[in-house]
Amino acid sequence: MRFDILSVFPEFFSVLDVSLVGKAQAHGVLTITTHDLRDWTDDPHRSVDDTPVGGGAGMVMRADVWGRALDDVLRSPLPSGEPSSGETVLAIPTPAGIPLTQRACEDLASSAARIVIACGRYEGIDARVVEYYAAHNVRTFEYSLGDYVLNGGEIAAVALVEAVGRLLPGVVGNPESLVEESHGAAGLLEYPVFTRPIEWRGYRVPDVLLSGNHREVARWRRYRAYERTAQRRPDMLERIDTVALTKRDKRKLAELGYLVPQGAAHPLRMDVREARLDDVAELAALAARTFPDAAPPHLTAQSVDMFIEEFLSASCIAHYIEADEWLVMVLSDRCGHLAGYSLCLIPAGDGVAGSDDGAPAAAVVGGRARRGPLIELSKFYVDRDYRGIGAAAYLFEGTRTALLRRSAQYEEPYLWLGTNHENTRARHAYRKLGFSEVGTRVFRVGDQDNSDVVYAMPLRVA
Ligand code: SAM
């Protein structure tokens, strides 16, 4: 590949003679030719700029000078003298360009035989230059290094040469090292990397990397990459492809607030927040839709409907949201679509919530008798498409955090719930969330009795 760089500071580019790009030039993998734009001026002062038409501050680079320079450079033969098999691209760095990405660099590396880079200075290059060459069958590429303004395009030219050049075969010694990088095919930032010494100033390399267990190492790296990307570039995490994700991967992403519901091509950023009155209609629909999923087979539709009418109607939900003793948390996407909810009854002081519902007031959890307030987790539901992907654990964690805020003055707040003894899916899920079985109760749905298992857990040690 050949790069031609035009600039009023051609001496700037001696940096390209060192390191891998320097070696690649020495080995003939790429050729870089720099040109002084002033060689195409026609006045004694060798001026390349003039005042902006229409007024305003600064100077603009002249189209006539750039036109002469680009005509010559674009017409000059490739070093081999052979007709090129790839395209010639006119690359123009500008803060008003599209952000330069790894995909764009990959595309240039595979499709271009020559890249001509026109480095602007002052207020930039007369806009007719790019327009003219685009209209005359030259592929143009106006790119930006980022959302900040440099004094000239030289740094951006060096960046393009290095980012595209290192993708050419033979430039980077071990091509494997290009595979797992940031902005690679997985669309993630790279995991943190370490080398010897294993112990440095009290900081130790993570043990898993010393384990020799390649699967564990790969998983550890993938999860660190998710965490880093979620923290620094959430926009990237929302674009990753979900096809190759395992169930565990999805659960890890859910912990970070990115859910992959059934059929979703990309993870969805979701929040757990307190419900608002404008959620009432959607929340009532969600509650009515999900409650029957937990009902045992012997419950009649009539009993289920009676229960929904009595406890989960829109007016009931509005009451739960407004009343101090209730806490309603929802799992919501950015558009306000709800995918799950929890409903907790908070006792006054360090009392017991839901005494009439069979609260395990004398529960012994983990060998200790309960002391702090006993909060009832009255409802906890996740919509169908969001099951088995970590959404329940994410909703639960958000609920637990909110409850801890509400009961901050108590050392040992507890949470309890009852669930139908036949509902093995829910029972398994509650055990995984940290609940222990502490008793049983009879729970009435409509005009039928249900036998429930009662669970409890300390809120602080989930
Ligand atoms: N007036 C221009 C604007 O507001 O868009 C800025 C001109 S800048 C001072 C001068 C030159 O620096 C540009 O023509 C371009 O070549 C280069 N430059 C500055 N910031 C850049 C960036 N973020 N990415 C790429 N090139 C940049």
Side-chain angles (χ1 to χ4, degrees):
M1 180 179 285
R2 169 166 174 170
F3 289 93
D4 284 283
I5 308 177
L6 291 94
S7 158
V8 288
F9 295 116
E11 64 277 19
F12 190 97
F13 299 99
S14 56
V15 292
L16 293 171
D17 294 335
V18 300
S19 187
L20 294 179
V21 172
K23 272 191 203 147
Q25 287 195 78
H27 294 145
V29 178
L30 53 87
T31 311
I32 302 169
T33 310
T34 54
H35 308 269
D36 186 349
L37 180 68
R38 292 191 200 278
D39 291 347
W40 284 275
T41 55
D42 56 5
D43 66 313
H45 301 291
R46 307 184 80 207
S47 57
V48 294
D49 57 324
D50 205 338
T51 53
V53 177
M59 300 296 274
V60 176
M61 297 189 100
R62 283 164 45 180
D64 55 341
V65 179
W66 272 109
R68 284 193 293 274
L70 289 171
D71 284 351
D72 281 353
V73 171
L74 288 167
R75 237 184 271 131
S76 64
L78 284 170
S80 59
E82 298 286 318
S84 88
S85 57
E87 274 184 295
T88 291
V89 176
L90 173 58
I92 302 172
T94 161
I98 57 161
L100 183 64
T101 60
Q102 188 68 11
R103 292 298 87 72
C105 292
E106 285 163 3
D107 176 47
L108 287 171
S110 63
S111 65
R114 168 186 290 186
I115 301 179
V116 176
I117 311 176
C119 300
R121 281 265 151 185
Y122 321 114
E123 293 308 320
I125 302 172
D126 186 311
R128 289 170 294 179
V129 173
V130 65
E131 201 182 326
Y132 172 86
Y133 287 101
H136 287 78
N137 291 327
V138 178
R139 181 175 154 198
T140 56
F141 176 53
E142 291 182 274
Y143 70 97
S144 165
L145 277 199
D147 295 345
Y148 45 82
V149 180
L150 303 164
N151 285 334
E154 287 74 16
I155 300 259
V158 171
L160 188 69
V161 171
E162 187 150 313
V164 173
R166 70 195 294 276
L167 299 176
L168 300 174
V171 175
V172 171
N174 179 1
E176 278 287 297
S177 65
L178 300 176
V179 176
E180 275 199 12
E181 285 186 318
S182 296
H183 308 291
L188 297 168
L189 299 180
E190 195 183 49
Y191 46 81
V193 294
F194 305 88
T195 186
R196 275 169 288 275
I198 303 301
E199 238 355 289
W200 175 75
R201 297 188 179 175
Y203 290 77
R204 192 177 156 74
V205 167
D207 282 334
V208 61
L209 300 180
L210 305 166
S211 68
N213 182 333
H214 299 304
R215 267 175 67 155
E216 283 300 315
V217 169
R219 184 179 298 127
W220 184 91
R221 287 180 164 163
R222 195 162 61 252
Y223 291 179
R224 299 297 82 72
Y226 290 163
E227 285 165 5
R228 242 190 191 180
T229 313
Q231 203 179 36
R232 300 176 185 181
R233 293 292 305 275
D235 58 310
M236 286 172 62
L237 209 49
E238 282 175 87
R239 290 199 303 265
I240 67 170
D241 192 348
T242 56
V243 174
L245 297 179
T246 65
K247 219 170 171 172
R248 276 177 88 158
D249 293 342
K250 289 180 190 170
R251 293 213 163 112
K252 178 66 199 174
L253 286 169
E255 275 174 31
L256 301 168
Y258 294 82
L259 300 186
V260 185
Q262 293 297 324
H266 308 287
L268 270 177
R269 175 82 184 101
M270 300 199 69
D271 287 319
V272 179
R273 59 164 173 82
E274 274 197 46
R276 303 180 297 247
L277 281 176
D278 60 358
D279 293 318
V280 167
E282 208 191 323
L283 190 45
L286 173 71
R289 185 163 74 236
T290 50
F291 180 76
D293 291 349
H298 76 270
L299 271 191
T300 62
Q302 194 195 357
S303 290
V304 169
D305 289 347
M306 277 169 74
F307 186 91
I308 292 171
E309 169 107 33
E310 197 178 347
F311 297 107
L312 297 174
S313 65
S315 59
C316 293
I317 285 178
H319 166 74
Y320 298 139
I321 291 173
E322 285 188 308
D324 279 349
E325 69 271 27
W326 289 99
L327 175 73
V328 190
M329 300 294 292
V330 288
L331 176 62
S332 162
D333 71 13
R334 286 229 199 83
C335 306
H337 166 71
L338 305 183
Y341 76 104
S342 65
L343 174 64
C344 292
L345 181 58
I346 299 169
D350 63 354
V352 169
S355 302
D356 302 344
D357 281 345
V364 175
V365 184
R368 284 170 66 87
R370 180 192 68 84
R371 288 190 299 171
L374 188 55
I375 300 162
E376 180 181 2
L377 180 58
S378 167
K379 302 284 172 294
F380 184 74
Y381 285 93
V382 167
D383 223 349
R384 241 173 234 180
D385 285 348
Y386 290 78
R387 292 179 198 153
I389 58 162
Y394 183 55
L395 171 62
F396 184 72
E397 202 42 39
T399 302
R400 202 175 72 83
T401 308
L403 288 173
L404 281 171
R405 266 198 308 271
R406 289 275 292 257
S407 45
Q409 70 272 41
Y410 299 106
E411 220 175 285
E412 273 188 60
Y414 283 82
L415 192 58
W416 80 272
L417 65 93
T419 191
N420 190 278
H421 78 285
E422 288 173 59
N423 192 346
T424 46
R425 182 177 57 82
R427 291 178 61 179
H428 175 70
Y430 289 127
R431 274 196 297 270
K432 268 184 78 175
L433 291 173
F435 283 93
S436 315
E437 231 176 280
V438 293
T440 57
R441 71 167 179 179
V442 172
F443 185 65
R444 205 153 173 79
V445 175
D447 50 16
Q448 289 178 274
D449 281 341
N450 278 275
S451 70
D452 273 8
V453 184
V454 172
Y455 289 87
M457 67 178 276
L459 214 48
R460 288 199 194 283
V461 290

